Short mmCIF file of all heavy atoms in Angstrom, two decimals:
data_model
loop_
_atom_site.label_atom_id
_atom_site.label_comp_id
_atom_site.label_asym_id
_atom_site.label_seq_id
_atom_site.Cartn_x
_atom_site.Cartn_y
_atom_site.Cartn_z
N MET A 588 126.08 117.26 84.01
CA MET A 588 125.59 118.31 84.91
C MET A 588 124.52 117.73 85.83
O MET A 588 123.82 116.81 85.48
CB MET A 588 125.00 119.47 84.10
CG MET A 588 126.00 120.16 83.20
SD MET A 588 127.30 120.97 84.12
CE MET A 588 126.40 122.39 84.78
N ALA A 589 124.40 118.34 87.00
CA ALA A 589 123.40 117.90 87.97
C ALA A 589 123.12 119.05 88.91
O ALA A 589 123.88 120.01 88.98
CB ALA A 589 123.92 116.71 88.75
N TYR A 590 121.99 118.93 89.61
CA TYR A 590 121.70 119.91 90.65
C TYR A 590 122.40 119.46 91.94
O TYR A 590 122.65 118.28 92.16
CB TYR A 590 120.19 120.02 90.87
CG TYR A 590 119.51 121.03 89.97
CD1 TYR A 590 119.51 120.85 88.59
CD2 TYR A 590 118.88 122.16 90.49
CE1 TYR A 590 118.89 121.78 87.75
CE2 TYR A 590 118.25 123.09 89.67
CZ TYR A 590 118.26 122.89 88.29
OH TYR A 590 117.64 123.81 87.47
N LEU A 591 122.71 120.46 92.77
CA LEU A 591 123.34 120.17 94.06
C LEU A 591 122.54 120.90 95.14
O LEU A 591 122.19 122.07 94.97
CB LEU A 591 124.79 120.68 94.05
CG LEU A 591 125.63 120.41 95.30
CD1 LEU A 591 126.00 118.93 95.38
CD2 LEU A 591 126.90 121.25 95.28
N ILE A 592 122.22 120.21 96.22
CA ILE A 592 121.50 120.82 97.34
C ILE A 592 122.50 121.45 98.29
O ILE A 592 123.39 120.77 98.81
CB ILE A 592 120.62 119.78 98.06
CG1 ILE A 592 119.51 119.30 97.11
CG2 ILE A 592 120.02 120.36 99.34
CD1 ILE A 592 118.66 118.15 97.65
N ASN A 593 122.34 122.75 98.51
CA ASN A 593 123.31 123.44 99.37
C ASN A 593 122.90 123.38 100.85
O ASN A 593 121.90 122.77 101.21
CB ASN A 593 123.54 124.88 98.89
CG ASN A 593 122.31 125.78 99.06
OD1 ASN A 593 121.45 125.52 99.89
ND2 ASN A 593 122.26 126.84 98.26
N ASP A 594 123.66 124.04 101.69
CA ASP A 594 123.47 123.95 103.14
C ASP A 594 122.24 124.68 103.65
O ASP A 594 121.93 124.63 104.84
CB ASP A 594 124.71 124.46 103.87
CG ASP A 594 125.90 123.52 103.70
OD1 ASP A 594 125.69 122.36 103.29
OD2 ASP A 594 127.04 123.94 103.97
N GLU A 595 121.52 125.36 102.75
CA GLU A 595 120.27 126.03 103.16
C GLU A 595 119.15 125.01 103.39
O GLU A 595 118.12 125.34 103.98
CB GLU A 595 119.83 127.03 102.08
CG GLU A 595 120.81 128.16 101.83
CD GLU A 595 121.07 128.98 103.08
OE1 GLU A 595 120.08 129.40 103.70
OE2 GLU A 595 122.24 129.17 103.43
N CYS A 596 119.33 123.80 102.94
CA CYS A 596 118.30 122.75 103.05
C CYS A 596 117.87 122.57 104.50
O CYS A 596 118.70 122.43 105.40
CB CYS A 596 118.84 121.43 102.50
SG CYS A 596 117.72 120.03 102.73
N ILE A 597 116.53 122.54 104.69
CA ILE A 597 115.97 122.35 106.03
C ILE A 597 115.35 120.95 106.18
O ILE A 597 114.59 120.70 107.11
CB ILE A 597 114.91 123.44 106.35
CG1 ILE A 597 113.80 123.46 105.28
CG2 ILE A 597 115.56 124.82 106.46
CD1 ILE A 597 112.62 124.39 105.62
N SER A 598 115.70 120.07 105.25
CA SER A 598 115.25 118.67 105.30
C SER A 598 113.73 118.53 105.40
O SER A 598 113.23 117.67 106.12
CB SER A 598 115.92 117.93 106.47
OG SER A 598 117.30 117.80 106.25
N CYS A 599 113.02 119.35 104.64
CA CYS A 599 111.55 119.28 104.67
C CYS A 599 111.03 118.09 103.88
O CYS A 599 109.91 117.63 104.10
CB CYS A 599 110.95 120.58 104.13
SG CYS A 599 111.11 120.79 102.34
N GLY A 600 111.82 117.61 102.91
CA GLY A 600 111.42 116.45 102.13
C GLY A 600 110.54 116.73 100.94
O GLY A 600 110.15 115.80 100.23
N ALA A 601 110.20 117.97 100.69
CA ALA A 601 109.28 118.31 99.60
C ALA A 601 109.82 117.93 98.23
O ALA A 601 109.07 117.56 97.33
CB ALA A 601 108.96 119.80 99.63
N CYS A 602 111.10 117.99 98.05
CA CYS A 602 111.70 117.74 96.73
C CYS A 602 111.74 116.25 96.37
O CYS A 602 111.64 115.89 95.20
CB CYS A 602 113.11 118.30 96.68
SG CYS A 602 114.20 117.67 97.97
N GLU A 603 111.88 115.40 97.35
CA GLU A 603 112.13 113.98 97.07
C GLU A 603 111.08 113.34 96.17
O GLU A 603 111.43 112.70 95.17
CB GLU A 603 112.27 113.20 98.39
CG GLU A 603 112.69 111.76 98.16
CD GLU A 603 112.91 111.01 99.48
OE1 GLU A 603 112.65 111.56 100.56
OE2 GLU A 603 113.36 109.84 99.39
N PRO A 604 109.77 113.49 96.45
CA PRO A 604 108.76 112.85 95.58
C PRO A 604 108.61 113.52 94.22
O PRO A 604 108.00 112.94 93.31
CB PRO A 604 107.46 112.96 96.39
CG PRO A 604 107.68 114.13 97.29
CD PRO A 604 109.14 114.13 97.62
N GLU A 605 109.16 114.71 94.03
CA GLU A 605 109.05 115.43 92.76
C GLU A 605 110.09 114.98 91.74
O GLU A 605 109.96 115.26 90.55
CB GLU A 605 109.19 116.93 93.00
CG GLU A 605 108.15 117.53 93.92
CD GLU A 605 106.73 117.32 93.41
OE1 GLU A 605 106.54 117.41 92.18
OE2 GLU A 605 105.85 117.04 94.23
N CYS A 606 111.11 114.30 92.18
CA CYS A 606 112.20 113.94 91.27
C CYS A 606 111.80 112.76 90.39
O CYS A 606 111.48 111.68 90.90
CB CYS A 606 113.45 113.59 92.06
SG CYS A 606 114.83 113.13 90.99
N PRO A 607 111.81 112.92 89.06
CA PRO A 607 111.38 111.86 88.15
C PRO A 607 112.33 110.67 88.09
O PRO A 607 111.95 109.60 87.62
CB PRO A 607 111.31 112.57 86.79
CG PRO A 607 112.27 113.70 86.90
CD PRO A 607 112.20 114.15 88.33
N THR A 608 113.55 110.84 88.57
CA THR A 608 114.51 109.74 88.51
C THR A 608 114.90 109.23 89.90
O THR A 608 115.85 108.46 90.04
CB THR A 608 115.78 110.17 87.76
OG1 THR A 608 116.38 111.28 88.46
CG2 THR A 608 115.47 110.60 86.33
N ASN A 609 114.17 109.67 90.93
CA ASN A 609 114.47 109.26 92.31
C ASN A 609 115.93 109.50 92.69
O ASN A 609 116.55 108.66 93.33
CB ASN A 609 114.11 107.78 92.52
CG ASN A 609 112.61 107.53 92.44
OD1 ASN A 609 111.81 108.32 92.96
ND2 ASN A 609 112.21 106.48 91.76
N ALA A 610 116.44 110.65 92.28
CA ALA A 610 117.85 110.96 92.56
C ALA A 610 118.06 111.56 93.95
O ALA A 610 119.19 111.70 94.39
CB ALA A 610 118.36 111.94 91.50
N ILE A 611 116.93 111.92 94.62
CA ILE A 611 117.05 112.63 95.90
C ILE A 611 116.80 111.70 97.07
O ILE A 611 115.85 110.92 97.06
CB ILE A 611 116.05 113.80 95.94
CG1 ILE A 611 116.26 114.73 94.74
CG2 ILE A 611 116.21 114.58 97.25
CD1 ILE A 611 115.20 115.82 94.62
N SER A 612 117.66 111.80 98.07
CA SER A 612 117.47 111.00 99.28
C SER A 612 117.90 111.82 100.49
O SER A 612 118.60 112.82 100.37
CB SER A 612 118.27 109.70 99.20
OG SER A 612 119.65 109.99 99.06
N GLU A 613 117.45 111.38 101.66
CA GLU A 613 117.80 112.10 102.87
C GLU A 613 119.22 111.76 103.29
O GLU A 613 119.57 110.59 103.43
CB GLU A 613 116.82 111.75 104.00
CG GLU A 613 117.02 112.64 105.24
CD GLU A 613 115.86 112.56 106.21
OE1 GLU A 613 114.99 111.67 106.04
OE2 GLU A 613 115.82 113.39 107.14
N GLY A 614 120.01 112.80 103.48
CA GLY A 614 121.39 112.60 103.90
C GLY A 614 121.61 113.03 105.33
O GLY A 614 120.66 113.16 106.10
N ASP A 615 122.81 113.28 105.68
CA ASP A 615 123.18 113.65 107.04
C ASP A 615 122.99 115.16 107.23
O ASP A 615 123.85 115.94 106.84
CB ASP A 615 124.63 113.24 107.29
CG ASP A 615 125.02 113.43 108.75
OD1 ASP A 615 124.11 113.60 109.59
OD2 ASP A 615 126.22 113.41 109.05
N GLY A 616 121.84 115.56 107.77
CA GLY A 616 121.58 116.96 108.02
C GLY A 616 120.94 117.71 106.88
O GLY A 616 120.47 118.83 107.05
N LYS A 617 120.91 117.12 105.70
CA LYS A 617 120.23 117.71 104.56
C LYS A 617 119.94 116.63 103.54
O LYS A 617 120.48 115.53 103.62
CB LYS A 617 121.08 118.82 103.93
CG LYS A 617 122.38 118.33 103.30
CD LYS A 617 123.11 119.47 102.59
CE LYS A 617 124.30 118.95 101.80
NZ LYS A 617 124.95 120.01 101.02
N PHE A 618 119.09 116.97 102.56
CA PHE A 618 118.82 116.02 101.49
C PHE A 618 119.94 116.14 100.44
O PHE A 618 120.57 117.19 100.30
CB PHE A 618 117.44 116.29 100.88
CG PHE A 618 116.32 115.61 101.64
CD1 PHE A 618 116.11 115.89 102.98
CD2 PHE A 618 115.50 114.68 101.02
CE1 PHE A 618 115.09 115.26 103.70
CE2 PHE A 618 114.47 114.05 101.73
CZ PHE A 618 114.27 114.34 103.06
N VAL A 619 120.16 115.05 99.73
CA VAL A 619 121.25 115.03 98.76
C VAL A 619 120.77 114.50 97.41
O VAL A 619 119.80 113.75 97.33
CB VAL A 619 122.43 114.16 99.26
CG1 VAL A 619 123.09 114.79 100.49
CG2 VAL A 619 121.98 112.74 99.57
N ILE A 620 121.45 114.90 96.35
CA ILE A 620 121.14 114.48 94.99
C ILE A 620 122.28 113.60 94.46
O ILE A 620 123.45 113.98 94.55
CB ILE A 620 120.96 115.71 94.07
CG1 ILE A 620 119.71 116.49 94.49
CG2 ILE A 620 120.88 115.29 92.60
CD1 ILE A 620 119.56 117.84 93.79
N ASP A 621 121.89 112.46 93.90
CA ASP A 621 122.88 111.61 93.25
C ASP A 621 123.17 112.19 91.87
O ASP A 621 122.31 112.20 90.99
CB ASP A 621 122.32 110.18 93.13
CG ASP A 621 123.26 109.27 92.35
OD1 ASP A 621 124.45 109.59 92.25
OD2 ASP A 621 122.79 108.24 91.83
N ALA A 622 124.35 112.70 91.68
CA ALA A 622 124.71 113.40 90.45
C ALA A 622 124.62 112.49 89.22
O ALA A 622 124.36 112.97 88.11
CB ALA A 622 126.13 113.96 90.57
N ASP A 623 124.81 111.21 89.38
CA ASP A 623 124.76 110.29 88.25
C ASP A 623 123.34 110.00 87.79
O ASP A 623 123.11 109.58 86.66
CB ASP A 623 125.45 108.97 88.60
CG ASP A 623 126.95 109.14 88.79
OD1 ASP A 623 127.52 110.06 88.17
OD2 ASP A 623 127.54 108.36 89.55
N THR A 624 122.36 110.23 88.70
CA THR A 624 120.96 109.93 88.39
C THR A 624 120.19 111.18 87.99
O THR A 624 119.21 111.10 87.25
CB THR A 624 120.28 109.28 89.62
OG1 THR A 624 121.11 108.22 90.09
CG2 THR A 624 118.92 108.73 89.27
N CYS A 625 120.62 112.34 88.46
CA CYS A 625 119.95 113.61 88.17
C CYS A 625 120.00 113.93 86.67
O CYS A 625 121.06 113.83 86.05
CB CYS A 625 120.63 114.73 88.96
SG CYS A 625 119.98 116.37 88.59
N ILE A 626 118.82 114.29 86.12
CA ILE A 626 118.77 114.64 84.70
C ILE A 626 118.60 116.16 84.50
O ILE A 626 118.25 116.63 83.42
CB ILE A 626 117.62 113.90 83.98
CG1 ILE A 626 116.26 114.19 84.64
CG2 ILE A 626 117.91 112.39 83.94
CD1 ILE A 626 115.06 113.67 83.85
N ASP A 627 118.85 116.92 85.58
CA ASP A 627 118.90 118.37 85.45
C ASP A 627 117.55 119.00 85.08
O ASP A 627 117.51 120.02 84.40
CB ASP A 627 119.93 118.73 84.36
CG ASP A 627 120.91 119.79 84.82
OD1 ASP A 627 120.99 120.06 86.03
OD2 ASP A 627 121.60 120.37 83.96
N CYS A 628 116.45 118.42 85.55
CA CYS A 628 115.13 118.91 85.14
C CYS A 628 114.68 120.16 85.91
O CYS A 628 113.83 120.91 85.44
CB CYS A 628 114.08 117.81 85.29
SG CYS A 628 113.64 117.46 87.02
N GLY A 629 115.19 120.33 87.13
CA GLY A 629 114.86 121.51 87.92
C GLY A 629 113.59 121.40 88.75
O GLY A 629 113.20 122.36 89.43
N ALA A 630 112.93 120.24 88.74
CA ALA A 630 111.68 120.08 89.51
C ALA A 630 111.92 120.27 91.00
O ALA A 630 111.07 120.85 91.70
CB ALA A 630 111.10 118.69 89.25
N CYS A 631 113.03 119.82 91.50
CA CYS A 631 113.32 119.96 92.94
C CYS A 631 113.44 121.43 93.32
O CYS A 631 112.92 121.87 94.35
CB CYS A 631 114.60 119.21 93.29
SG CYS A 631 116.03 119.58 92.25
N ALA A 632 114.11 122.20 92.48
CA ALA A 632 114.28 123.62 92.75
C ALA A 632 112.93 124.33 92.76
O ALA A 632 112.71 125.28 93.51
CB ALA A 632 115.20 124.25 91.72
N GLY A 633 112.00 123.84 91.94
CA GLY A 633 110.70 124.48 91.83
C GLY A 633 109.83 124.35 93.07
O GLY A 633 108.95 125.16 93.29
N VAL A 634 110.07 123.32 93.87
CA VAL A 634 109.24 123.12 95.07
C VAL A 634 109.97 123.46 96.37
O VAL A 634 109.36 123.50 97.43
CB VAL A 634 108.72 121.66 95.16
CG1 VAL A 634 107.84 121.35 93.96
CG2 VAL A 634 109.86 120.68 95.28
N CYS A 635 111.24 123.71 96.30
CA CYS A 635 112.02 123.95 97.53
C CYS A 635 111.71 125.33 98.12
O CYS A 635 111.80 126.34 97.42
CB CYS A 635 113.51 123.85 97.24
SG CYS A 635 114.51 124.15 98.72
N PRO A 636 111.34 125.39 99.41
CA PRO A 636 111.01 126.66 100.05
C PRO A 636 112.21 127.56 100.30
O PRO A 636 112.03 128.76 100.57
CB PRO A 636 110.34 126.24 101.36
CG PRO A 636 110.93 124.92 101.68
CD PRO A 636 111.15 124.25 100.34
N VAL A 637 113.40 127.02 100.22
CA VAL A 637 114.59 127.83 100.54
C VAL A 637 115.61 127.87 99.39
O VAL A 637 116.76 128.27 99.59
CB VAL A 637 115.27 127.32 101.83
CG1 VAL A 637 114.36 127.53 103.04
CG2 VAL A 637 115.68 125.87 101.72
N ASP A 638 115.18 127.45 98.20
CA ASP A 638 116.06 127.50 97.02
C ASP A 638 117.39 126.78 97.22
O ASP A 638 118.43 127.24 96.73
CB ASP A 638 116.33 128.96 96.62
CG ASP A 638 115.14 129.58 95.91
OD1 ASP A 638 114.34 128.84 95.33
OD2 ASP A 638 115.02 130.83 95.95
N ALA A 639 117.34 125.66 97.92
CA ALA A 639 118.59 124.93 98.18
C ALA A 639 119.14 124.18 96.97
O ALA A 639 120.36 124.14 96.79
CB ALA A 639 118.40 123.98 99.35
N PRO A 640 118.29 123.58 96.10
CA PRO A 640 118.87 122.90 94.93
C PRO A 640 119.32 123.92 93.89
O PRO A 640 118.54 124.77 93.44
CB PRO A 640 117.69 122.06 94.39
CG PRO A 640 116.68 122.04 95.51
CD PRO A 640 116.85 123.35 96.21
N GLN A 641 120.56 123.85 93.52
CA GLN A 641 121.12 124.80 92.57
C GLN A 641 121.78 124.06 91.42
O GLN A 641 122.46 123.07 91.62
CB GLN A 641 122.20 125.67 93.26
CG GLN A 641 121.67 126.54 94.40
CD GLN A 641 120.82 127.71 93.92
OE1 GLN A 641 121.03 128.20 92.82
NE2 GLN A 641 119.87 128.14 94.74
N PRO A 642 121.58 124.56 90.18
CA PRO A 642 122.26 123.95 89.04
C PRO A 642 123.77 124.19 89.14
O PRO A 642 124.20 125.25 89.56
CB PRO A 642 121.67 124.66 87.83
CG PRO A 642 121.17 125.97 88.36
CD PRO A 642 120.75 125.71 89.80
N GLN A 643 124.54 123.20 88.75
CA GLN A 643 126.00 123.33 88.84
C GLN A 643 126.60 123.58 87.47
O GLN A 643 126.02 123.21 86.47
CB GLN A 643 126.62 122.07 89.45
CG GLN A 643 126.11 121.80 90.85
CD GLN A 643 126.40 122.98 91.78
OE1 GLN A 643 127.57 123.30 92.01
NE2 GLN A 643 125.36 123.61 92.30
FE1 LIG B 998 115.71 115.16 90.35
FE2 LIG B 998 115.32 116.99 88.46
FE3 LIG B 998 116.19 117.75 90.87
FE4 LIG B 998 117.80 116.38 89.25
S1 LIG B 998 117.00 118.45 88.89
S2 LIG B 998 117.48 115.97 91.44
S3 LIG B 998 116.35 115.02 88.20
S4 LIG B 998 114.18 116.81 90.40
FE1 LIG B 999 115.87 120.49 101.41
FE2 LIG B 999 114.58 122.10 99.73
FE3 LIG B 999 114.45 119.45 99.41
FE4 LIG B 999 113.19 120.62 101.45
S1 LIG B 999 112.72 120.88 99.27
S2 LIG B 999 114.45 118.72 101.54
S3 LIG B 999 114.63 122.27 101.96
S4 LIG B 999 116.29 120.73 99.22
#
């Protein structure tokens, strides 16, 4: 399981430094989560202003 950033992402970058496994990086038009690195902790969802990271 992993979190997935949906299209609501406004590329603010707030989630990237919060991820304990550095699974988040800036993608094309939004930030993206590497599903193989994500440990499902939910820290990204906790800081996102638009609730873009969602558990899958
Ligand atoms: Fe990183 Fe946790 Fe978000 Fe997964 S759920 S991308 S490990 S902050
Ligand atoms: Fe996108 Fe939310 Fe991360 Fe900001 S905190 S880059 S809006 S997913």
Side-chain angles (χ1 to χ4, degrees):
M588 297 296 286
Y590 272 63
L591 183 72
I592 294 174
N593 67 24
D594 290 344
E595 298 300 310
C596 175
I597 56 173
S598 293
C599 73
C602 56
E603 187 177 6
E605 300 301 321
C606 180
T608 60
N609 293 319
I611 304 173
S612 60
E613 188 165 11
D615 187 15
K617 66 175 188 175
F618 275 59
V619 293
I620 293 171
D621 175 21
D623 292 332
T624 311
C625 176
I626 57 170
D627 230 15
C628 73
C631 51
V634 298
C635 180
V637 294
D638 284 335
Q641 297 288 331
Q643 300 302 298

